[in-house]
Amino acid sequence: MSRSDRVLADAEAVLRRHSERGRSLSARARQRRNAALMRKVKYAFWAVIAVLVGSAVAGFVAPIGTTGVMIALGVMLAAVLLIAALPGERRVRTEALAETPLTALPIQTEIWLENQRKALPAPAVTLVDSIGVKLETLSPQLERLGDQEPAAQEIRKLLADHLPELVTGYRSIPEPLRREERNGRVPEKQLIEGLGVIDAEIARMSENLASGDLDKLAVQNRFLELKYQEAKELGQE
């Protein structure tokens, strides 16, 4: 496939993914939770079947009696309760993002963002949803990008460093102070502005990857570092 054909194919794929999978972050999170619930149901079903088969085999060897039946029922109930108590969708630790393989980083960042939603103001949640859609588009684009390429390092810096620092910096501020001006800055407004910058930056990265222009990915790095460093410092004040 020629370069021009590949660029056109990538552009069409980006548009198709936006139209077919332009769902909100919360909608995809619900899908993951539903999938985790179905896995639990499946595990519980097979656990019950295993106990029934074990009880039947034991009954062929020697009658298990009422006591055996009660024990089997107790084992079934314990197995179901244990499976129900298992965590559904696993949580992603902030520090784990830095160790995540590049191709898995967008989905891990998306899950991490979903875990932060309840602590964010409504305008920020809207931006988080927008970022989630763009991360879904970005994910398959990273498959042909080497970990050591400058473009890959900039993407990792944005998703594993700048974004978590911005959100955790905001969350470290006591809730009553998040809307008050401090040193000429309002934490909530700063968070929203920072998320807006990240949203636009991910869109730019995805566009550059689709066009094959990797050199442009590093252009705004200094601006981004300054922007997120402010958020980090604000969280430490």
Side-chain angles (χ1 to χ4, degrees), residues 97-98 155-166 228:
L97 291 175
I155 291 170
R156 179 175 294 282
K157 187 178 298 183
L158 178 67
L159 300 184
D161 293 337
H162 295 325
L163 177 57
E165 284 180 2
L166 177 66
Y228 305 133

Side-chain angles (χ1 to χ4, degrees), residues 180-187 190 233-234 236-237:
E180 295 184 6
E181 184 174 331
R182 306 175 67 199
N183 299 325
R185 296 175 292 180
V186 179
Q190 188 177 353
E233 291 173 353
L234 183 60
Q236 294 174 346
E237 291 176 358

Side-chain angles (χ1 to χ4, degrees), residues 2 49 60-61 65-66 74 95 105 111 120 134 145 152 155 158-159 165 167 172-173 179 184 231:
S2 67
I49 292 297
F60 280 118
V61 176
T66 304
E95 56 271 22
L105 186 56
I111 294 173
L120 303 180
K134 291 178 177 62
L145 196 62
I155 291 170
L158 178 67
L159 300 184
E165 284 180 2
V167 176
S172 68
I173 300 170
R179 294 182 179 86

